[in-house]
Amino acid sequence: MRFQAPASVAFPVVALHNRATDTVDSAFIEEPMNELTLDSMLQEHRLFEPAQDFIHRARINAQRLTALQDKANTDHEGFWAEQARNELSWHTPFTRILDSSQAPHYRWFDDGVLNVSHNCLDRHLASRGDKTAIIFEGEQGDTRHISYRELHQQVCRFANALKAQGIGQGDRVILYMPMVPEAVIAMQACVRIGAIHSVVFGGFSAEALKDRIEDAGARMVITADGGHRGGKVIELKAATDLALSRSTLKVDKVIVLQRTGKAVGMQPGRDLWWHDAIRDQPDRCEPAWVGAEHPLFLLYTSGSTGKPKGIQHASAGYLLGAIITMRWVFDIRDDDIFWCTADVGWITGHSYVAYGPLACGATMLMYEGAPTVPDAGRFWAVCARHRATIFYTAPTAIRALMKFGDEIPARHDLSSLRLLGTVGEPINPEAWMWYHRVIGHERCPIVDTWWQTETGAIMIAPLPGAVATKPGSCTLPLPGIVADVVDQNGDTITEPDQGGFLVIKKPWPSMLRTVWGDEERYRKTYWGEFGGRYYLAGDSARRDADGYVWIMGRIDDVLNVSGHRLGTMEVESALVAHPRVAEAAVVGRPDEITGEAIFAYVVLKGPRPAGGIDKALTEELRRWVTSEIGAIARPSDIRYADNLPKTRSGKIMRRLLRAIARGEAITQDTSTLENEAILDQLQGKA
Ligand code: WTA
């Protein structure tokens, strides 16, 4: 099985990015583009119509979809205003819809006042107080059911605890937590009092945590004594201590949840236990009524530079995006048990764990651990045990579990499932078909959802009762989302299957508002092309003859490893920070399970190891990158060379390196290389 079957799709000849910006892909500028072909999936002709009984019960059928689209196309702003009035509970209703006067800093509904936590909790109390909000299952098998009333009380108590520790409106709070209900409680408590959370994925290293604490200017860190994953305890508090000992910024307080019972050091005056912080706190807390544009959270994501960017979202628009996509794409109903497997450290875990399901008054499942504990049937066992009806995960998980065969899922009763979803990377048709057949029993529609940290909510995806699906395509943009595939001039590509740039042509409510503390980077990265008219997603895509969108990959130096974004520069910076490394270049190569794997070329300060092999050093560099960034950034391959291949103007020839990493024939002109011998070294032949 190959993840992507190469089907050469010509890519426009273009030098897209200004060299000074952070989105430079040097190879794109320095090397001839007309030879460049991007991997894309084989032409896929299978079409899966929604089943009649699904259509009958669906919130949106084909006619409703057409009506929504007509409305959105004729009156874009009026359309969104109507959704915002219907879906959000306002403390003070808005009168202005979209303010473009400071574009590209768009503002939505900006004279409206509301609170996101109130929208997720309080408004359900009368009708659904006893309904289960969260079903939790820990890796070790412990389970909890939390009703809306209980969740509201716990959020209020923790919100009061935050206030008692001096946290107020606009303060940044870092969360570094395991996948337990308290992570959601902490997020909800922050937004309840108008504080801005920034969740750092528990798999990131102390170093990565430190960078985010400093960049956000955080006043508090909320963490745990640990979390269970893969049969081990992930020591979050120890990593927090290390991060804070290295940080130039001193936070006032660290709140520590007791999850594993593992002994941790507590620094007097700074650290306090969660259970002590909430003791004696009342279980009611008036929400902070904030403007629609009040910053809701920051979430750091990788770009083309070594420094992750803090994507900032705004309260009302973001929540509207999460709610509306829960309804349209997930067809959420009161009796659903919704399970999104994403960690709260990623945007998917924000929109479809911490906010979207709760804002819709749904019941959601949360699972703490690894999908392979105690065996590769854990996801299916959790689905069966808690009668999940909607299951949303990443292609990398599907591919990994598919490897274990059909027998394991067959041991579990998956009859409760009615809808499946994927996110994070293109899904190869083979994995799609397996998901459809073995998990969905050919009964459940699959929604392949394209979106980004920056977009806040799903943008391109099928509405399961209205749109026929094709394995590997995220299908059509949602109503009100004006997505297009354009050439280097910004003109729509009308010819089917011609690759181009994926852009969004009109602002949408859940869009990012800025990059925290880096205004310039916001403008350049997302609005730096096409005269600032369009939002540049950073992905290449094509549309087939039916107008279906097929995502082809990134156009910048961003890798997608297991559905997680990583900048090649980030990994390169980590490598050159090692005392023995002089230079490094990192590219992606296709991988069956993770989609892309990290392939690093390294030039050492001393001599190159004999034959290019030094197992101990290779292991040490892998460990080094893990401690600098996290395990997801660990290179799968490291090759040593005397120097890196460069163009006459000194740019690393990344396309050449990519071809080598993929084991492809070298078609690039290498006659300008000063040292042709390195070609053998790069290919691992010498
Ligand atoms: C990729 C995750 C193909 C894409 C929600 C995008 C996808 C990046 C899909 C964003 C999909 C996400 N098909 N590619 N359905 N969904 N991507 O910010 O390259 O972690 O730009 O957000 O993932 O990753 P992020």
Side-chain angles (χ1 to χ4, degrees):
M1 180 189 76
R2 270 183 76 82
F3 167 57
Q4 286 175 324
S8 302
V9 174
F11 200 71
V13 180
V14 58
L16 183 70
H17 295 296
N18 177 322
R19 218 170 290 188
T21 71
D22 67 335
T23 46
V24 172
D25 179 346
S26 46
F28 277 35
I29 295 169
E30 296 295 327
E31 297 175 44
M33 291 286 296
N34 43 4
E35 323 164 7
L36 178 62
T37 55
L38 287 176
D39 279 355
S40 93
M41 270 160 280
L42 284 170
Q43 293 282 347
E44 173 65 55
H45 294 295
R46 281 172 290 201
L47 192 70
F48 292 83
E49 300 281 355
Q52 280 308 321
D53 57 336
F54 193 97
I55 296 176
H56 286 316
R57 294 191 63 195
R59 284 178 164 273
I60 313 251
N61 58 21
Q63 280 122 337
R64 266 275 282 149
L65 175 57
T66 308
L68 284 170
Q69 268 157 347
D70 287 349
K71 172 92 212 238
N73 293 342
T74 45
D75 180 10
H76 183 74
E77 290 179 31
F79 171 80
W80 281 117
E82 190 182 320
Q83 306 301 330
R85 279 187 205 106
N86 292 343
E87 298 291 355
L88 298 173
S89 301
W90 295 90
H91 188 68
T92 311
F94 61 93
T95 63
R96 288 195 295 263
I97 307 171
L98 173 65
D99 176 1
S100 303
S101 61
Q102 308 291 318
H105 294 282
Y106 296 96
R107 298 171 67 82
W108 285 90
F109 322 121
D110 77 337
D111 60 346
V113 173
L114 82 179
N115 179 279
V116 165
S117 160
H118 171 265
N119 271 269
C120 292
L121 301 170
D122 308 45
R123 65 168 167 168
H124 305 311
L125 291 183
S127 58
R128 297 182 175 86
D130 295 324
K131 181 177 174 175
T132 300
I134 301 178
I135 303 172
F136 170 74
E137 180 168 318
E139 192 177 78
Q140 298 179 330
D142 47 320
T143 61
R144 281 157 74 185
H145 286 236
I146 304 172
S147 70
Y148 270 91
R149 182 165 300 109
E150 289 161 344
L151 187 63
H152 177 259
Q153 289 170 347
Q154 294 191 35
V155 168
C156 286
R157 288 184 81 186
F158 196 67
N160 287 323
L162 291 176
K163 285 205 255 184
Q165 297 305 323
I167 298 297
Q169 212 160 310
D171 286 338
R172 273 83 61 208
V173 175
I174 297 272
L175 270 69
Y176 189 56
M177 303 274 287
M179 252 318 258
V180 293
E182 282 77 6
V184 173
I185 291 168
M187 292 163 84
Q188 288 281 344
C190 285
V191 308
R192 192 165 188 89
I193 63 170
I196 304 168
H197 63 67
S198 184
V199 185
V200 177
F201 172 54
F204 276 129
S205 67
E207 193 61 26
L209 175 62
K210 181 209 82 165
D211 291 344
R212 287 157 177 77
I213 291 170
E214 287 177 346
D215 192 84
R219 294 195 56 198
M220 175 187 272
V221 178
I222 303 171
T223 186
D225 57 357
H228 299 287
R229 189 155 174 112
K232 286 188 265 195
V233 170
I234 309 294
E235 298 188 21
L236 298 165
K237 175 62 165 67
T240 304
D241 288 340
L242 188 58
L244 289 173
S245 71
R246 291 181 186 166
S247 170
T248 52
L249 183 106
K250 294 293 162 233
V251 303
D252 302 338
K253 293 282 171 197
V254 178
I255 297 185
V256 188
L257 176 76
Q258 200 163 44
R259 167 67 186 145
T260 63
K262 205 171 163 105
V264 296
M266 297 290 278
Q267 185 174 307
R270 188 196 70 181
D271 301 356
L272 83 162
W273 289 105
W274 177 295
H275 52 262
D276 290 333
I278 59 169
R279 184 168 300 138
D280 304 329
Q281 292 298 343
D283 58 14
R284 309 206 122 216
C285 172
E286 173 74 4
W289 301 110
V290 297
E293 283 293 312
H294 181 69
L296 185 65
F297 64 79
L298 309 180
L299 184 60
Y300 285 83
T301 189
S302 297
S304 304
T305 71
K307 189 173 174 273
K309 43 195 173 188
I311 302 301
Q312 188 222 299
H313 280 286
S315 301
Y318 170 82
L319 192 66
L320 179 60
I323 294 175
I324 211 77
T325 49
M326 284 298 299
R327 301 220 194 282
W328 289 344
V329 182
F330 294 118
D331 189 44
I332 194 79
R333 288 199 313 244
D334 223 16
D335 56 356
D336 274 317
I337 311 279
F338 178 83
W339 186 18
C340 164
T341 67
D343 190 279
V344 288
W346 309 109
I347 190 69
T348 310
H350 282 58
S351 306
Y352 302 106
V353 179
Y355 293 107
L358 296 177
C360 293
T363 297
M364 68 156 157
L365 248 166
M366 239 181 130
Y367 168 62
E368 174 190 34
T372 47
V373 174
D375 62 37
R378 185 60 179 265
F379 273 3
W380 322 129
V382 171
C383 281
R385 190 151 40 242
H386 304 290
R387 307 300 294 158
T389 58
I390 305 173
F391 179 72
Y392 186 37
T393 196
T396 186
I398 298 167
R399 288 193 298 269
L401 298 175
M402 178 169 96
K403 282 210 118 174
F404 292 92
D406 301 3
E407 232 168 82
I408 293 181
R411 284 183 215 144
H412 303 278
D413 174 10
L414 298 177
S415 62
S416 57
L417 289 172
R418 68 179 191 93
L419 179 61
L420 303 173
T422 71
V423 60
E425 53 179 314
I427 179 163
N428 48 315
E430 190 188 350
W432 196 102
M433 288 305 299
W434 184 81
Y435 200 29
H436 170 69
R437 189 170 52 78
V438 179
I439 306 306
H441 297 165
E442 300 183 4
R443 179 189 71 238
C444 306
I446 297 180
V447 289
D448 175 347
T449 62
W450 178 87
W451 59 297
Q452 309 177 291
T453 304
E454 292 87 341
T455 68
I458 296 169
M459 303 287 278
I460 309 179
L463 271 57
V467 176
T469 54
K470 299 181 187 186
S473 169
C474 52
T475 76
L476 305 168
L478 298 181
I481 301 300
V482 189
D484 200 3
V485 179
V486 301
D487 65 17
Q488 67 271 33
N489 301 317
D491 296 329
T492 299
I493 295 177
T494 48
E495 197 173 321
D497 299 320
Q498 253 325 111
F501 304 100
L502 182 62
V503 296
I504 314 293
K505 291 183 154 176
K506 282 193 180 163
W508 65 103
S510 66
M511 65 196 294
L512 79 165
R513 295 307 193 260
T514 189
V515 173
W516 186 254
D518 200 344
E519 175 64 29
E520 193 53 20
R521 196 169 175 193
Y522 170 69
R523 285 173 184 271
K524 279 192 172 151
T525 308
Y526 304 107
W527 306 92
E529 299 300 325
F530 313 121
R533 284 175 299 153
Y534 306 149
Y535 167 86
L536 184 72
D539 283 336
S540 58
R542 66 181 167 90
R543 264 188 310 208
D544 67 17
D546 298 326
Y548 277 41
V549 177
W550 300 74
I551 305 294
M552 293 156 67
R554 297 287 306 186
I555 53 168
D556 52 16
D557 285 334
V558 173
L559 302 174
N560 191 326
V561 182
S562 299
H564 301 314
R565 280 163 66 172
L566 272 175
T568 52
M569 277 271 286
E570 257 174 280
V571 186
E572 287 163 7
S573 313
L575 281 167
V576 297
H578 187 277
R580 287 189 61 190
V581 175
E583 240 189 316
V586 163
V587 298
R589 71 158 168 81
D591 180 272
E592 267 190 25
I593 303 291
T594 59
E596 269 189 300
I598 296 173
F599 201 114
Y601 299 91
V602 167
V603 178
L604 296 177
K605 284 180 181 155
R608 177 174 178 265
I613 296 167
D614 183 340
K615 284 198 176 139
L617 179 61
T618 299
E619 260 325 296
E620 186 181 323
L621 292 179
R622 286 207 182 108
R623 267 200 307 273
W624 175 266
V625 174
T626 304
S627 72
E628 290 283 303
I629 305 173
I632 51 168
R634 184 172 45 217
S636 65
D637 308 78
I638 298 182
R639 257 181 213 163
Y640 302 95
D642 288 329
N643 40 53
L644 296 174
K646 300 206 176 137
T647 61
R648 265 162 300 194
S649 59
K651 291 267 171 198
I652 293 172
M653 296 170 73
R654 285 177 185 280
R655 240 164 16 89
L656 172 68
L657 293 178
R658 258 181 235 131
I660 293 173
R662 291 167 182 218
E664 291 166 2
I666 295 176
T667 55
Q668 286 82 7
D669 178 10
T670 53
S671 61
T672 54
L673 283 182
E674 271 172 36
N675 176 2
E676 282 232 35
I678 64 162
L679 275 183
D680 283 343
Q681 297 179 358
L682 296 167
Q683 295 181 86
K685 291 184 192 159

